[in-house]
Amino acid sequence: MKYSLDENQEKIVSHIDGPALVLAGPGSGKTTVLIERTIRLARKIKMPQKILCVTFTNAAAREMEKRFLQSQNETDDNFSQTPVFKTVHSFCNEVIKEYERSVGVKYRRIEGNSGEKRKIFKDLYKEINGEDGEEYIIDKLNDFNKKSNTVLEIKGFRKIMASYDIYKNKYCMIDFDDMITIALGILSSPEKNKLRIREYFCSRFDYIQVDEAQDLTSEQFAIIEMIGKHGNVFVVADDDQSIYGFRGAAPECLFKFQKNFSDCQTYYLSRNYRSVGNIVDYSCKFIAQNKDRFSKNLYSKNIKGPVPRIKCFKNGIKQAEFVCKETKKLLKVNKDTKIGVLYRNNISGLLPRAVFVCEGYNLKCGEDFFKTREMDFLDDIISVMRSMERNCVVVPTPSKMLRTLREEGLSNKLENYCRNSGRNIYYKEILSEFLEFLCMYSGSVKNMVSLLDKIDDKNIISRTSNTCCVELSTVHSSKGLEYDVVFLIDVVRGEFPGRNATVGKALEEERRLFYVAMTRAKESLYVLYPQRRGEESAFITELKKLAAL
């Protein structure tokens, strides 16, 4: 695979020795640059195994290795070995294994999705609080990332976490988060056996490349710098796309990297090959409102295209119907148009998913969509409606049953559900509208159940569908993806940005998340919100001001 590079990209891939920081804007071809530099580096040093390529996810590591091998097959290069492609966690696990071999100890890894970690938290919660924890509480404990430096509003939280650490130490267990801390402790220790391990890894890799460096924690950055004392560290990042603060991501480490390596060369990948001019212009002006960032001059040579379109709707149903209607028009013009429906929180996918299913569309939905527990609550509501159906001589329509339920205090029931399940209170309106939609499109409770099953069936509507042009996704899950047209929905104050992100770092991260959503769009961007759920987001207000400039 021969890559065509522009003049600036060529300059960057030609950087061989010494530290470098590449600030890569959205759609600027950073993966192409990384692969091409890896190939040239391997060709130059003749020993690809001396190159460590660090990525953020296992999928990214596999993709980079695949593209490297493809490129090698298409050239005369015939390396007996390949560069090492790893995530930071995978590398740290290797450091720990080396330590285990050295001292004869064996840690047992706790997999977060195996159920074991969840059971430990379930037992600890009951032991400390004297009662069983709700399922959503145990899930929050199981998913909690210690590096986020936050405290969950969970009864006995600090005691539970302290007891969890004691439990792990007692049984010589480590979990996903521990790998980084333990590996850093090994590499930074002056003890003779640990010093040997650090020297081994420092000498094993002469060159280190880091992708998506804005997502690394301060500990992960310290590990990279420690094994890269030789200075041949090539870091690619975009601080404007750092959206994982809840996992401890520390984009400020990019500034420290420049200072720690005084001879660091800084490059900019500024040309956006993905999006039309207006999307690039508006997104750049939007993100420039953040203070803690590198200043950049991003641009596009593509056509100007339409400006981002902001639309308000009476409610969420009208919003979802608009998205489906516009999608139908777009696909009629070009059946291969790739469309992304993006949102801040998973629950926002319920209504558009329901509308698309009713229209017979085949969808892609991120796996995180199926983590919502609202379906269980909706099943309870439908059970009540079934009971009403059995006890009526003249069977009312689902819409009439819903009116009765509302008169009997459905709103309070929805509100209690949100409180009891740790959900934001605005979920109440989304669930209410979703129920309303189900009733509108169903002639009977039986039809409602059938429709709900179809909406919730990941086997019918799956991520692996090959005939799909429409994808529903949270903005977090859409990072790294691109669509011809993006519908960013539910952009309401208190939802996006979140109600607890009104100032400072929290607001800046929400603005970065919004920026990520904007820059997924290649040709058109719609920013939508339902009036029924409140005022327009502060971000929409900002966009309107930019349009007036």
Side-chain angles (χ1 to χ4, degrees):
M1 186 184 300
K2 179 66 178 174
Y3 295 111
S4 177
L5 304 178
D6 64 30
E7 185 178 344
N8 187 47
Q9 291 171 333
E10 181 67 38
K11 180 182 177 183
I12 294 170
V13 300
S14 298
H15 180 103
I16 300 298
D17 296 309
L21 172 62
V22 180
L23 295 165
S28 60
K30 73 174 180 66
T31 305
T32 296
V33 165
L34 275 167
I35 295 295
E36 181 62 20
R37 181 178 184 268
T38 307
I39 293 166
R40 295 191 188 187
L41 198 55
R43 197 177 291 150
K44 179 178 174 62
I45 67 175
K46 310 295 184 188
M47 298 175 69
Q49 69 273 18
K50 301 285 281 183
I51 305 169
L52 172 64
C53 298
V54 178
T55 64
F56 190 58
T57 65
N58 286 314
R62 288 192 296 269
E63 179 63 21
M64 286 191 71
E65 184 171 21
K66 176 184 172 185
R67 287 175 66 170
F68 176 85
L69 293 172
Q70 283 177 341
S71 298
Q72 181 183 329
N73 292 336
E74 293 167 8
T75 64
D76 294 331
D77 299 318
N78 187 23
F79 303 120
S80 59
Q81 298 188 62
T82 65
V84 177
F85 298 92
K86 283 187 177 291
T87 63
V88 184
H89 279 90
S90 178
F91 174 78
C92 287
N93 194 35
E94 193 169 332
V95 171
I96 294 169
K97 284 181 179 178
E98 188 67 27
Y99 174 71
E100 288 173 321
R101 284 192 289 269
S102 173
V103 300
V105 70
K106 181 67 177 175
Y107 291 109
R108 190 159 73 79
R109 276 70 169 168
I110 310 174
E111 298 294 334
N113 56 3
S114 67
E116 181 179 15
K117 183 178 175 183
R118 201 173 181 285
K119 185 180 184 306
I120 293 170
F121 276 121
K122 196 170 186 176
D123 293 343
L124 289 175
Y125 186 93
K126 186 168 185 177
E127 178 185 317
I128 288 166
N129 295 318
E131 60 187 19
D132 289 327
E134 296 281 348
E135 293 298 309
Y136 83 91
I137 291 176
I138 305 304
D139 286 344
K140 281 188 174 183
L141 289 168
N142 187 62
D143 296 338
F144 179 69
N145 189 311
K146 291 182 289 187
K147 309 305 177 188
S148 64
N149 294 319
T150 58
V151 176
L152 297 183
E153 294 181 8
I154 290 175
K155 186 178 178 182
F157 174 72
R158 293 183 188 278
K159 286 185 178 179
I160 292 169
M161 297 311 297
S163 298
Y164 177 57
D165 286 336
I166 292 169
Y167 183 94
K168 287 185 297 180
N169 289 334
K170 181 179 179 180
Y171 295 102
C172 205
M173 302 165 79
I174 58 175
D175 65 15
F176 193 69
D177 293 340
D178 295 327
M179 287 184 185
I180 305 298
T181 304
I182 292 173
L184 180 58
I186 293 168
L187 294 172
S188 59
S189 174
E191 293 176 21
K192 189 174 181 180
N193 61 334
K194 294 179 181 178
L195 185 61
R196 182 195 64 77
I197 293 171
R198 183 172 77 208
E199 289 171 348
Y200 163 71
F201 282 102
C202 284
S203 62
R204 180 178 167 187
F205 300 110
D206 292 340
Y207 294 88
I208 299 171
Q209 289 190 153
V210 185
D211 189 18
E212 302 284 9
Q214 75 279 351
D215 295 328
L216 299 184
T217 67
S218 56
E219 283 188 338
Q220 291 169 342
F221 243 107
I223 288 169
I224 297 297
E225 291 183 343
M226 199 163 288
I227 61 171
K229 291 291 186 185
H230 45 62
N232 296 326
V233 184
F234 187 85
V235 170
V236 180
D238 183 3
D239 55 315
D240 289 333
Q241 295 189 70
S242 180
I243 59 174
Y244 294 109
F246 61 93
R247 294 179 186 165
E252 61 272 14
C253 287
L254 298 173
F255 293 98
K256 292 178 183 177
F257 176 76
Q258 279 186 319
K259 292 178 181 177
N260 293 347
F261 291 92
S262 56
D263 57 339
C264 177
Q265 291 286 314
T266 301
Y267 300 98
Y268 292 85
L269 278 172
S270 301
R271 181 178 174 183
N272 186 313
Y273 286 87
R274 175 190 298 154
S275 305
V276 295
N278 272 320
I279 289 175
V280 175
D281 291 344
Y282 272 76
S283 60
C284 287
K285 290 174 184 175
F286 176 80
I287 196 61
Q289 296 172 105
N290 274 4
K291 305 300 181 187
D292 297 330
R293 62 185 293 271
F294 287 93
S295 180
K296 308 174 188 71
N297 294 307
L298 306 181
Y299 67 95
S300 172
K301 290 185 179 180
N302 298 335
I303 61 170
K304 290 299 285 184
V307 300
R309 282 166 271 196
I310 299 169
K311 292 186 75 68
C312 172
F313 298 88
K314 181 181 177 182
N315 55 44
I317 296 174
K318 294 295 182 185
Q319 176 186 248
E321 288 175 341
F322 170 81
V323 172
C324 190
K325 184 179 177 182
E326 288 297 301
T327 295
K328 193 177 293 186
K329 288 181 188 175
L330 291 163
L331 295 180
K332 190 173 182 180
V333 174
N334 181 357
K335 64 181 178 62
D336 295 321
T337 301
K338 191 175 179 184
I339 295 162
V341 183
L342 308 183
Y343 33 82
R344 176 65 179 84
N345 301 296
N346 245 319
I347 193 171
S348 290
L350 278 175
L351 265 171
R353 182 179 173 91
V355 173
F356 276 112
V357 167
C358 287
E359 292 294 324
Y361 279 87
N362 200 4
L363 301 173
K364 286 185 183 179
C365 289
E367 284 300 314
D368 52 1
F369 180 90
F370 297 99
K371 292 179 182 177
T372 59
R373 286 179 218 93
E374 277 61 50
M375 294 300 180
D376 295 334
F377 175 75
L378 292 166
D379 284 341
D380 291 342
I381 299 293
I382 289 175
S383 294
V384 173
M385 295 174 80
R386 272 182 171 150
S387 178
M388 292 170 67
E389 194 176 48
R390 283 194 300 268
N391 295 327
C392 290
V393 178
V394 178
V395 178
T397 63
S399 293
K400 286 184 179 179
M401 290 186 208
L402 182 60
R403 277 200 297 273
T404 301
L405 288 175
R406 281 175 171 163
E407 290 167 2
E408 293 175 353
L410 177 61
S411 180
N412 290 335
K413 187 165 184 161
L414 290 166
E415 197 165 311
N416 288 335
Y417 164 76
C418 291
R419 289 204 174 93
N420 294 337
S421 62
R423 302 302 206 193
N424 285 333
I425 203 68
Y426 75 80
Y427 279 29
K428 177 179 82 168
E429 284 296 340
I430 298 179
L431 283 170
S432 180
E433 289 183 343
F434 184 65
L435 275 169
E436 187 178 324
F437 178 83
L438 289 178
C439 292
M440 283 167 49
Y441 274 76
S442 305
S444 67
V445 175
K446 183 179 179 181
N447 289 344
M448 279 184 71
V449 173
S450 177
L451 178 55
L452 194 61
D453 286 344
K454 195 171 182 182
I455 291 167
D456 195 36
D457 191 341
K458 67 176 73 176
N459 296 315
I460 294 175
I461 309 167
S462 74
R463 194 173 181 83
T464 56
S465 166
N466 294 320
T467 59
C468 173
C469 290
V470 183
E471 181 161 3
L472 308 184
S473 175
T474 61
V475 181
H476 278 101
S477 295
S478 75
K479 188 167 177 284
L481 304 177
E482 60 181 43
Y483 308 92
D484 297 311
V485 180
V486 165
F487 294 94
L488 181 55
I489 66 171
D490 284 358
V491 187
V492 180
R493 193 177 297 271
E495 295 182 37
F496 201 177
R499 58 182 176 173
N500 297 321
T502 55
V503 293
K505 285 188 174 182
L507 179 60
E508 291 214 346
E509 174 147 334
E510 288 287 297
R511 190 177 281 112
R512 291 195 294 268
L513 188 61
F514 196 90
Y515 173 75
V516 166
M518 293 179 74
T519 55
R520 298 313 92 200
K522 295 168 69 176
E523 298 170 7
S524 296
L525 170 66
Y526 293 80
V527 182
L528 315 176
Y529 72 100
Q531 200 170 35
R532 179 173 172 178
R533 290 218 297 278
E535 302 174 21
E536 67 183 29
S537 162
F539 292 157
I540 288 183
T541 306
E542 290 176 12
L543 282 180
K544 286 180 177 178
K545 286 180 180 177
L546 293 176
L549 293 176

